[in-house]
Amino acid sequence: MTKKILLTIGILIIVGVVVFLVFDSASPLNPGDTNGFSIRDYLPFGSSNDLQISTTTENEGGSGLEITNTTVNQSVPRLRKISNEPVAGTVIFDIGTTSVVRFVEKGTGNVYETQSDTKTVTRLTNTTIPKIIRAFWLPNGSGFLAQTLIPGSEIVETNLVKLNKNTATSSNEILTPFSTTINKLPTDIKEISIKPDGTKIFYYTINGLSSNWFISNPDGTGSSLMMSHPLTEWLPKWISSNSITMQNKSSSDIIGYVYSFNTSNKILKKIGIGTNGISSIVNPDESFSLVSSGGNLPQLFLVNNQNSSSKKITFNGLADKCIWLKSKNPTVYCAIPNEIPNGNYPDIWYKGLVSTDDIIEKIDLDNDIFYNISNLSSESGQKIDVFNLSLSPNETHLIFQNKIDGYLWMLRIDKD
């Protein structure tokens, strides 16, 4: 009997030691990490600290976010994926020397935020706005224009989703940092562009055989009809205080043009050159355009808008994959495909029939000099087809989506 008791006690001691060793060897939570969870298994970099999701508290100023679970000596990768769901729209802005990214998920409408100096991603809202087609962010990240389809139809609804800072309740309940208020805009808006200072928006609707151009406050109030035009397919971009560029929606079989619309005097004038399958980005003072032509091989051209002269750039690609820098020389960052699949551009790329494997290049357009910034597939371990490219105001970080899956990425620009 005594031997059985001793044996039982011995077994219990051994089991206790094993349990202690197993739990003691597990990786501890970061200091103060009480509300986050790791989603490291979903990321390409494999580190146990790759990405942390937090829904914790806000600070007194800045972005309204307090990161509570960032490892003290955490190394932030130069290139990193910052969403694990398709994104409807995103914005990047600066607070001091830190770049802040906010984005909204397509499926849920939830808003998330991350910063350039941390791998933590924080959910800012829990407002459900299902099946967002597109989201156009105000430049300071204070809200976005969400476009959704009315169920069972192709009619587009547009709403301003405004972010409002939450405060802790008397019971010290932990909330998401922001709640939302929603303002409805006119039904069936086709395209939207936001003034660089965020105070006004441009949009157009179609009435019969013409497009009606409006400018209003971001919530849709104070709307004013600016022009009615017989063409109904436009891509507007508000590039400076009083100037909006209007590009024909392009096809490889149709010659397209870019126009400048002055919001003060309501004058519309053609700028640059026309070409089949045009894709164009115009710098803020409208002195230059980077234009890509369509066809079997999309070619890039620098266009002087003062005299409509142009010169071909060495590499081929789409202007949609480029963004201007503030440099005095005409300079851009471009996602250049390693190889361009056969087909009629830009149609097959817009429709998602082909995808490209891109590298990021900094291009001095005046001198046709290229500086390699990142081989995206080598750094990420996967194919990235860049679209929706944005540059932080301090020009230290690029953000872009992968057209293949809609996920959002962030790239730190190492200064020369």
Side-chain angles (χ1 to χ4, degrees), residues 148-155 157:
T148 57
L149 288 177
I150 295 176
S153 76
E154 295 297 318
I155 299 173
E157 286 190 323

Side-chain angles (χ1 to χ4, degrees), residues 130-384:
K131 298 181 180 179
I132 296 178
I133 305 169
R134 295 184 297 178
F136 302 85
W137 277 89
L138 299 178
N140 63 0
S142 62
F144 58 93
L145 293 154
Q147 291 198 301
T148 57
L149 288 177
I150 295 176
S153 76
E154 295 297 318
I155 299 173
V156 176
E157 286 190 323
T158 304
N159 293 277
L160 174 66
V161 181
K162 187 72 175 175
L163 305 186
N164 309 302
K165 284 186 178 181
N166 282 331
T167 56
T169 64
S170 57
S171 62
N172 291 322
E173 178 184 358
I174 295 177
L175 304 171
T176 53
F178 291 87
S179 59
T180 60
T181 53
I182 298 177
N183 297 91
K184 183 175 174 57
L185 277 76
T187 300
D188 219 14
I189 290 174
K190 299 302 181 183
E191 295 290 344
I192 299 170
S193 188
I194 300 174
K195 192 173 182 179
D197 65 5
T199 58
K200 297 289 182 179
I201 64 170
F202 171 92
Y203 64 88
Y204 79 85
T205 60
I206 296 176
N207 182 17
L209 298 177
S210 65
S211 58
N212 293 330
W213 304 0
F214 296 90
I215 287 179
S216 75
N217 298 321
D219 62 1
T221 60
S223 179
S224 175
L225 177 64
M226 304 298 288
M227 178 178 285
S228 293
H229 197 282
L231 295 181
T232 58
E233 297 290 330
W234 296 99
L235 292 173
K237 187 170 184 180
W238 206 324
I239 63 170
S240 63
S241 179
N242 297 316
S243 184
I244 301 171
T245 59
M246 304 290 294
Q247 179 194 300
N248 303 140
K249 288 189 177 180
S250 59
S251 169
S252 61
D253 298 326
I254 300 173
I255 295 178
Y257 297 90
V258 179
Y259 301 81
S260 173
F261 179 61
N262 188 303
T263 60
S264 297
N265 58 26
K266 301 182 183 180
I267 292 177
L268 183 69
K269 66 176 182 179
K270 189 182 295 183
I271 60 173
I273 61 174
T275 182
N276 283 50
I278 192 170
S279 171
S280 176
I281 58 170
V282 182
N283 68 345
D285 66 6
E286 295 188 14
S287 57
F288 292 98
S289 298
L290 180 66
V291 173
S292 60
S293 62
N296 291 330
L297 188 65
Q299 298 180 330
L300 287 168
F301 298 86
L302 174 65
V303 179
N304 185 321
N305 293 330
Q306 309 305 314
N307 56 24
S308 295
S309 63
S310 65
K311 70 171 185 177
K312 188 181 180 307
I313 305 303
T314 299
F315 285 168
N316 297 312
L318 294 166
D320 278 346
K321 290 173 169 281
C322 301
I323 191 165
W324 286 99
L325 281 78
K326 293 178 285 190
S327 172
K328 292 181 181 179
N329 289 332
T331 305
V332 293
Y333 286 120
C334 281
I336 301 294
N338 280 308
E339 183 178 349
I340 298 178
N342 293 327
N344 290 324
Y345 287 89
D347 307 48
I348 60 171
W349 184 74
Y350 288 152
K351 293 176 182 178
L353 300 177
V354 297
S355 59
T356 60
D357 185 5
D358 296 336
I359 60 175
I360 301 293
E361 297 275 352
K362 181 180 179 180
I363 310 174
D364 177 346
L365 295 169
D366 207 20
N367 299 299
D368 200 17
I369 298 174
F370 290 71
Y371 305 91
N372 182 262
I373 302 301
S374 173
N375 187 319
L376 298 178
S377 60
S378 295
E379 286 199 57
S380 68
Q382 61 185 270
K383 181 178 179 180
I384 297 180

Side-chain angles (χ1 to χ4, degrees), residues 42-145:
Y42 296 89
L43 296 180
F45 304 103
S47 166
S48 62
N49 290 314
D50 279 346
L51 181 62
Q52 295 287 332
I53 300 295
S54 171
T55 55
T56 53
T57 60
E58 60 179 315
N59 60 20
E60 294 299 319
S63 67
L65 169 66
E66 179 184 344
I67 303 298
T68 60
N69 54 354
T70 305
T71 304
V72 176
N73 294 317
Q74 192 179 55
S75 176
V76 179
R78 196 172 81 97
L79 173 67
R80 60 190 176 112
K81 184 167 67 173
I82 56 178
S83 79
N84 284 299
E85 296 293 338
V87 168
T90 185
V91 66
I92 185 166
F93 55 97
D94 295 334
I95 297 177
T97 59
T98 301
S99 294
V100 179
V101 179
R102 286 181 179 172
F103 60 92
V104 56
E105 285 184 350
K106 267 191 173 183
T108 64
N110 288 333
V111 175
Y112 293 82
E113 178 179 289
T114 191
Q115 299 183 357
S116 58
D117 55 1
T118 176
K119 288 187 282 189
T120 302
V121 176
T122 294
R123 193 178 75 188
L124 299 186
T125 70
N126 59 7
T127 303
T128 301
I129 309 172
K131 298 181 180 179
I132 296 178
I133 305 169
R134 295 184 297 178
F136 302 85
W137 277 89
L138 299 178
N140 63 0
S142 62
F144 58 93
L145 293 154

Side-chain angles (χ1 to χ4, degrees), residues 384-404:
I384 297 180
D385 181 4
V386 171
F387 83 119
N388 285 351
L389 188 68
S390 297
L391 180 62
S392 63
N394 62 14
E395 299 188 344
T396 61
H397 290 81
L398 285 167
I399 58 171
F400 48 86
Q401 288 177 255
N402 187 349
K403 198 169 185 293
I404 296 169

